[in-house]
Amino acid sequence: MRVLIGGGSGFVGRELIQMLRGKGHEVTIISRQPGPGRITWAALESGGLPHCEGVVNLAGENIMNPMRWWNNHYKKDLVSSRVDTTRALAHAIAASTTPPHSWVLITGVACYKPCLQTQYTEDSEWVPFDFLSQLVKEWEEAARLPENAAKNIRQVVIRPGAVLGRDGGAMKQMLTPFRLGLGGPLGSGRQPFPWIHVSDLAGIIAQSLEPSRSPLSPHPEVFNGVAPSLKTNFEFTKELGHLLKRPTMFPVPGFFLDTMLGSERAVILTQGQRVIPKRTLESGYKFQYQDLRMGEKVLKADVGST
Ligand code: NDP
């Protein structure tokens, strides 16, 4: 299969590409930078969709970029880098005379309102309630194909929690304070911490790229990209501290994170959602990393030597 991946040069993309190439698939990246094995977004808009069987969009300005101050300019970049790239791909797919059989978008669990009790599955109703949930709404809407194109193309939306893995994402940013003995629960620590290992997210994307075995729906299939075992931020912090043999006594106050990151973005850390991968499990996907404790494999593999 030939697969086109918007934003494939990033953390999740690198894992996905390795997995797809390992299965014998051909991959082309869409990037802002030209290079071998790549096309640019401008080339997609002018030249249309290259011939491919599967399309994925992973493009997006990093929400947790510590170098960027939370302001309207950054928020605009967060939205446009996701919504405009997704819309460009949806238009190119709909206009293609040889369309792919699958179109997969990766968004996030920020659509579900943080709550200590409510459990969310892919069937849960939600309405936007803050900046990030509004972003998810616009992002997923931008991916929708017109009815005539949707008849023949499998549309999938995957909503991951924090993606853990050695080469990037949340883990990379967390390791330094932990190694310095400054890691601690964030805010109250009681908030759920929906997470997924990067190889499982890549696995769910790869599965979603396969042609559908059931009749196609005009609506996208949604899969929650979270590990089946739910942890709180406190439990996750303890596991990580234990593996790194570092103390985790010092809680990081919510107001500090609000000030440093901006309260609209700090909610990713200080609040959380109890998200269940109900349909992901029903689809037959077998998680490699179900639980943080699984032989301590998930953290050890990514923490490496301390
Ligand atoms: P990365 O931060 O690694 O970025 C992916 C790619 O997006 C980059 O390699 C870059 O490609 C492209 N990109 C960055 N900024 C812009 C921009 N301003 N305009 C256009 N393209 C841009 O993302 P991840 O791989 O970690 O995540 C993939 C997707 O999954 C993202 O949409 C993210 O929001 C979502 N997600 C990630 C989570 C995580 O914990 N990592 C959690 C939940 C959702 P290039 O430089 O080649 O153009």
Side-chain angles (χ1 to χ4, degrees):
M1 171 170 37
R2 281 158 295 194
V3 183
L4 184 67
I5 308 179
S9 59
F11 169 50
V12 177
R14 288 192 297 273
E15 182 80 15
L16 177 63
I17 290 169
Q18 199 182 13
M19 183 176 286
L20 292 173
R21 289 201 173 130
K23 290 174 191 259
H25 301 306
E26 282 174 36
V27 177
T28 302
I29 289 175
I30 315 176
S31 169
R32 292 165 297 173
Q33 308 296 330
R38 295 175 176 214
I39 62 167
T40 60
W41 290 100
L44 176 79
E45 289 198 35
S46 59
L49 195 78
H51 196 54
C52 60
E53 286 74 39
V55 179
V56 181
N57 195 20
L58 293 168
E61 176 82 34
N62 182 355
I63 290 188
M64 296 311 283
N65 186 346
M67 308 309 285
R68 290 206 63 180
W69 200 245
W70 191 254
N71 56 28
N72 284 339
H73 184 56
Y74 183 31
K75 283 159 65 171
K76 206 163 148 265
D77 285 351
L78 293 174
V79 175
S80 65
S81 60
R82 288 169 172 75
V83 175
D84 295 354
T85 54
T86 300
R87 188 173 294 124
L89 274 169
H91 282 170
I93 292 168
S96 173
T97 49
T98 54
H101 56 66
S102 305
W103 161 218
V104 182
L105 175 69
I106 315 306
T107 62
V109 294
C111 57
Y112 305 122
K113 194 166 189 176
C115 179
L116 295 182
Q117 288 84 31
T118 310
Q119 292 204 342
Y120 295 104
T121 71
E122 294 87 346
D123 299 320
S124 302
E125 299 280 330
W126 61 277
V127 285
F129 54 90
D130 67 355
F131 170 76
L132 292 174
S133 52
Q134 180 63 32
L135 166 56
V136 175
K137 180 168 186 278
E138 290 174 28
W139 201 358
E140 294 187 0
E141 278 175 1
R144 291 288 289 272
L145 298 175
E147 225 170 275
N148 59 338
K151 278 194 296 221
N152 303 314
I153 301 170
R154 179 181 190 193
Q155 300 180 79
V156 177
V157 169
I158 301 171
R159 299 182 183 142
V163 186
L164 305 184
R166 186 192 283 272
D167 295 327
M171 185 70 93
K172 195 174 179 184
Q173 288 172 1
M174 278 187 286
L175 283 180
T176 305
F178 272 84
R179 286 200 166 117
L180 294 171
L182 299 173
L186 304 177
S188 72
R190 290 168 58 222
Q191 68 277 27
F193 179 69
W195 65 279
I196 185 165
H197 193 272
V198 66
S199 46
D200 276 322
L201 179 55
I204 298 168
I205 298 172
Q207 178 176 285
S208 304
L209 281 166
E210 297 296 330
S212 178
R213 276 175 263 137
S214 21
L216 289 170
S217 149
H219 303 291
E221 297 167 59
V222 176
F223 296 106
N224 286 335
V226 294
S229 118
L230 261 174
K231 293 285 173 211
T232 63
N233 176 271
F234 180 83
E235 290 165 328
F236 173 75
T237 304
K238 291 289 155 197
E239 292 289 341
L240 191 53
H242 172 73
L243 278 168
L244 290 169
K245 301 187 179 60
R246 294 289 192 278
T248 51
M249 291 171 303
F250 307 111
V252 184
F255 72 83
F256 174 76
L257 294 166
D258 285 351
T259 310
M260 294 305 290
L261 299 172
S263 55
E264 282 177 309
R265 147 164 87 159
V267 293
I268 298 172
L269 303 176
T270 57
Q271 299 181 31
Q273 307 86 345
R274 296 170 67 82
V275 185
I276 313 289
K278 179 173 173 277
R279 201 172 298 143
T280 310
L281 290 168
E282 285 169 359
S283 75
Y285 183 75
K286 300 267 179 289
F287 280 83
Q288 254 184 288
Y289 299 97
Q290 301 220 19
D291 192 291
L292 286 174
R293 268 208 164 270
M294 273 187 61
E296 303 187 337
K297 193 165 88 167
V298 57
L299 294 177
K300 254 192 183 142
D302 296 318
V303 164
S305 70
T306 57

